[in-house]
Amino acid sequence: EWYSYHFPELVKIVNDNYMFAKLTGLIGDRTKLTPEMESQIEEVVMDSAKARAIMEAAKSSMGIDIGTIDLINIQMFSKRVLSLADYRKTLADYLHNKMVSVAPNLAALIGEQVGARLISHAGSLTNLAKYPASTVQILGAEKALFRALKTRGNTPKYGLIFHSTFIGRAGAKNKGRISRYLANKCSIASRVDNFSDVPTSVIGEHLRQQVEDRLKFYETGENPAKNIDVMRQAVVEAQGAREKALKVQKKLDKKEKKRKQAMRSDTEEATADDTMNDTADLENGEPPKKKKKKKKSKGELDESAVNSTLDDSQALLNDSKADGSLVKKNKKKKKGKHEDSLNGTQEEMVEVNNESPKKSKKKKNKAEESMDVSVSLDTTQEGDVSINKKKKKKRTKSENN
């Protein structure tokens, strides 16, 4: 609408909004269009006739001139529209892949968007599978339901299911019927998806066909196929699809194993090549290449030797200190700690005495020598005392005289 003030004929030629946004960014000012740009316009439009029509309409357009600032804003807005459209496409692809893997039957029956809305409103696929068909029919219309119960009015006929194509195609009289029937089939599809090991969309396709037949029955009165016959056929086809899926999975597993084996063989060949190169070097007289180690200088060697000797001396000092401390601790032990330890020490002392009698004799000799020395000292002291007494007597006699 904004760009149509400048180039109104473009809307008549190109009806698609995404393509129109691309052309607004490409053309810009229509007065500056050149014949060389026709190829670029043809790439966007994917039609040579439309590209020629755009070029001819630009020459004789009834639109007003546009300013540079307005054109810049229009092009920025067109870029934003294009980015949002691309994001919507990626989201739709993601939703399609996710629903195919999670709930393929529900997606085949009612569509990816409506099925995803039902699952999100229920909380999970298991919750949706637990719901009865009457609850699935009104999911998303809780406010209308409680309002109708309060006012004693008509309850709603459909909730989120209304967005499916079936209810829109049905007549006004048959919308309630088809919504009830569709909710029944949705509950069946959700239960199959929740409790099946290998997900397949075969049952969902058959359920969709049943809804289509019911629509025809409401419109034309043509009787649809019986539910038992349809379900038997669906189960048989689903088993075949599961077998095919299992075969495909086995093939994929085999390919994965082969790839891993090829990777292992490549690594083994690489190691074998390295060993062959080493043996070839040895045969030629060349030793295998090794990483060179840095040589230490003489100063570093001397320092390392000195450090090693210092470490050894320190260790010896520590050992001696530890031995001295142990001796001191043993001396300070109390006598009555444990009888077993005392008995053990006595037995050790006896064994030591039995083993070394020479040491005990030497100790006795030393004791006797010390006794003799003490006796001789005593005798010398007594002799000195007697000599002193005699000298005193002589002095007293001489003084008397």
Side-chain angles (χ1 to χ4, degrees):
E1 186 180 354
W2 194 1
Y3 189 69
S4 294
Y5 289 113
H6 174 63
F7 193 3
E9 291 82 9
L10 187 62
V11 182
K12 297 175 183 178
I13 300 165
V14 179
N15 295 321
D16 188 18
N17 292 325
Y18 186 75
M19 201 178 290
F20 187 87
K22 275 188 176 181
L23 286 171
T24 53
L26 179 63
I27 294 167
D29 192 356
R30 62 177 171 74
T31 58
K32 295 179 181 178
L33 264 176
T34 57
E36 291 134 7
M37 294 178 70
E38 188 176 349
S39 60
Q40 296 178 2
I41 293 167
E42 189 177 347
E43 286 178 3
V44 174
V45 179
M46 304 294 289
D47 191 358
S48 60
K50 283 185 179 181
R52 287 174 192 170
I54 289 165
M55 293 296 291
E56 290 174 1
K59 291 175 184 177
S60 62
S61 178
M62 296 175 66
I64 60 171
D65 294 333
I66 193 168
T68 54
I69 296 170
D70 294 334
L71 186 61
I72 288 165
N73 285 316
I74 287 167
Q75 287 177 343
M76 286 173 67
F77 185 51
S78 66
K79 285 179 184 176
R80 182 64 61 85
V81 169
L82 289 170
S83 65
L84 286 170
D86 293 332
Y87 178 61
R88 186 172 182 172
K89 283 181 183 177
T90 54
L91 267 180
D93 293 336
Y94 166 75
L95 186 63
H96 174 72
N97 296 326
K98 200 73 175 174
M99 285 297 291
V100 165
S101 62
V102 173
N105 294 305
L106 189 63
L109 171 62
I110 203 169
E112 287 89 4
Q113 289 187 357
V114 182
R117 284 178 183 176
L118 286 171
I119 291 168
S120 66
H121 196 82
S124 65
L125 185 62
T126 54
N127 290 340
L128 185 65
K130 290 174 185 177
Y131 287 162
S134 58
T135 307
V136 174
Q137 183 182 352
I138 309 169
L139 271 180
E142 288 85 2
K143 286 184 180 180
L145 175 67
F146 293 125
R147 194 190 312 121
L149 291 171
K150 280 183 181 179
T151 58
R152 294 183 182 179
N154 294 325
T155 55
K157 296 176 183 177
Y158 29 70
L160 291 169
I161 290 174
F162 180 76
H163 297 286
S164 67
T165 58
F166 299 112
I167 295 169
R169 285 158 54 191
K173 294 179 181 179
N174 301 321
K175 282 190 178 181
R177 294 178 183 177
I178 200 69
S179 66
R180 186 168 61 251
Y181 190 80
L182 183 60
N184 186 10
K185 299 301 175 186
C186 285
S187 64
I188 291 167
S190 61
R191 287 165 191 172
V192 171
D193 288 329
N194 190 28
F195 298 108
S196 61
D197 297 329
V198 181
T200 57
S201 62
V202 177
I203 294 172
E205 291 170 0
H206 282 275
L207 293 172
R208 185 182 181 86
Q209 189 61 41
Q210 278 188 313
V211 179
E212 294 279 356
D213 295 340
R214 185 53 63 102
L215 270 174
K216 284 182 185 178
F217 171 71
Y218 291 146
E219 290 173 2
T220 61
E222 185 181 349
N223 287 326
K226 289 185 178 180
N227 189 29
I228 297 170
D229 300 332
V230 174
M231 286 294 106
R232 281 176 183 170
Q233 188 179 356
V235 168
V236 171
E237 290 181 6
Q239 286 177 355
R242 283 170 189 166
E243 289 175 358
K244 287 180 182 178
L246 289 171
K247 286 179 182 178
V248 170
Q249 189 65 32
K250 285 180 181 178
K251 286 181 181 178
L252 291 172
D253 294 338
K254 284 181 181 178
K255 284 182 181 179
E256 188 68 21
K257 284 181 182 179
K258 285 180 181 178
R259 190 181 65 80
K260 287 180 180 179
Q261 287 177 359
M263 292 285 288
R264 287 175 185 171
S265 62
D266 291 337
T267 54
E268 288 174 359
E269 285 176 1
T271 53
D273 291 335
D274 294 336
T275 53
M276 288 291 288
N277 291 328
D278 293 337
T279 54
D281 292 335
L282 288 169
E283 288 175 357
N284 293 327
E286 297 177 358
K289 293 179 181 180
K290 294 181 179 179
K291 292 181 181 179
K292 293 182 180 180
K293 293 181 180 179
K294 292 182 180 180
K295 293 182 179 180
K296 292 182 180 181
S297 61
K298 289 183 179 180
E300 290 177 355
L301 289 168
D302 295 336
E303 288 178 0
S304 62
V306 170
N307 291 327
S308 62
T309 52
L310 287 170
D311 293 335
D312 294 335
S313 61
Q314 190 68 30
L316 289 169
L317 287 169
N318 291 330
D319 293 335
S320 63
K321 286 179 181 179
D323 293 333
S325 63
L326 286 169
V327 170
K328 288 178 182 178
K329 286 179 183 178
N330 289 329
K331 284 182 180 179
K332 290 179 181 179
K333 280 184 180 178
K334 292 181 180 180
K335 291 181 181 180
K337 270 193 176 180
H338 299 290
E339 292 179 0
D340 296 335
S341 61
L342 288 170
N343 294 328
T345 51
Q346 286 177 2
E347 288 173 1
E348 287 175 0
M349 290 293 289
V350 169
E351 288 175 0
V352 168
N353 291 327
N354 293 329
E355 285 176 1
S356 58
K358 294 180 181 179
K359 291 182 181 178
S360 61
K361 286 181 181 180
K362 287 181 181 179
K363 287 180 181 179
K364 285 181 181 179
N365 293 328
K366 285 181 181 178
E368 287 174 359
E369 287 175 0
S370 62
M371 289 291 288
D372 295 334
V373 169
S374 62
V375 169
S376 61
L377 286 170
D378 292 333
T379 53
T380 51
Q381 286 176 359
E382 287 176 0
D384 292 335
V385 169
S386 61
I387 290 164
N388 289 327
K389 284 181 180 180
K390 288 178 179 179
K391 284 181 180 180
K392 283 180 181 179
K393 285 180 180 180
K394 285 180 181 180
R395 284 177 186 174
T396 51
K397 282 180 180 182
S398 61
E399 284 174 356
N400 291 324
N401 292 327

